[in-house]
Amino acid sequence: MPSVRVSKELKEEIFFLTFTVHRWYYLFDRHNRWDILSDSLKYCQTNKSLKIYHFVFMLNHMHLIARSSDMIGFIRDFKTFTSKEIKKNIRETEPQILELFKEGEEYHFWQKTNMPEVIRNQDFYLEKAQYVEQNPVRKRYVNRPEDWVYSSANKESALLNLESIY
């Protein structure tokens, strides 16, 4: 199956993105790995013109509604940097699971596709924003979206700087 990617013509649009851990392994719920994601996204906000409208970090994936002047570059750099940091973290904390991510001589922590969808109108945006923020409720991690710390629904966490779209 070919990888679904952001096209060069649309690289400056607002996208709904899903980053999924290779083999759907529950990776982020320990050893400060959510911090690797948030620190990297904060860096991209400051240095790579990334604007985040909604997000959620789950145990084995994350969703973003975001825009960048170069979404292709952001995705590439984010996945590369976080892969290196995750590998380092695993080596220090759980070296026995590192083999789960090895294919040949390389390690793969992210699935290849990000399932990018362009946000073309307000209705689609609202549908995806609700989907993102309801994710922890659907998984029964929390009863209310605002109770999940790693989400834009939790206005008190101030985990990332959020932009307003509409």
Side-chain angles (χ1 to χ4, degrees):
M1 179 170 90
S3 177
V4 180
R5 299 178 188 255
V6 172
S7 74
K8 290 179 183 176
E9 299 79 36
L10 300 174
K11 71 178 188 171
E12 295 183 28
E13 297 293 326
I14 297 172
F15 282 91
F16 168 75
L17 301 164
T18 301
F19 294 85
T20 306
V21 173
H22 194 62
R23 297 190 174 123
W24 288 89
Y25 187 79
Y26 282 14
L27 187 63
F28 298 123
D29 60 335
R30 57 200 177 275
H31 306 294
N32 301 313
R33 293 187 187 128
W34 276 314
D35 293 344
I36 294 170
L37 302 179
S38 64
D39 291 348
S40 182
L41 289 172
K42 285 178 197 174
Y43 177 86
C44 291
Q45 286 180 304
T46 303
N47 298 291
K48 295 188 174 282
S49 72
L50 179 68
K51 298 193 179 326
I52 299 174
Y53 304 99
H54 292 272
F55 75 95
V56 67
F57 300 163
M58 301 296 284
L59 301 180
N60 58 8
H61 68 285
M62 62 181 268
H63 296 293
L64 289 177
I65 296 177
R67 167 186 270 161
S68 174
S69 59
D70 180 11
M71 187 58 78
I72 297 167
F74 156 70
I75 292 169
R76 177 196 61 232
D77 294 349
F78 176 79
K79 287 175 122 178
T80 299
F81 178 79
T82 55
S83 291
K84 288 177 186 175
E85 292 299 307
I86 290 167
K87 182 179 177 183
K88 182 175 140 186
N89 178 284
I90 290 172
R91 272 204 172 117
E92 294 170 356
T93 60
E94 297 179 288
Q96 70 280 6
I97 72 163
L98 200 53
E99 288 300 311
L100 294 172
F101 301 99
K102 192 169 187 179
E103 288 190 359
E105 296 300 313
E106 296 183 13
Y107 293 91
H108 297 275
F109 296 99
W110 296 112
Q111 289 185 6
K112 288 184 180 176
T113 187
N114 310 300
M115 301 308 295
E117 295 183 67
V118 176
I119 303 291
R120 298 202 183 271
N121 59 54
Q122 186 174 11
D123 288 342
F124 187 66
Y125 167 76
L126 293 172
E127 173 189 320
K128 291 302 179 182
Q130 182 177 8
Y131 177 83
V132 166
E133 294 186 352
Q134 288 292 325
N135 215 249
V137 175
R138 278 191 305 281
K139 291 287 188 176
R140 298 186 179 170
Y141 299 158
V142 292
N143 290 323
R144 301 175 313 151
E146 58 271 19
D147 292 337
W148 188 249
V149 174
Y150 298 98
S151 169
S152 52
N154 184 319
K155 305 302 183 207
E156 294 177 12
S157 80
L159 199 59
L160 299 170
N161 296 322
L162 300 176
E163 304 285 333
S164 178
I165 190 172
Y166 290 106

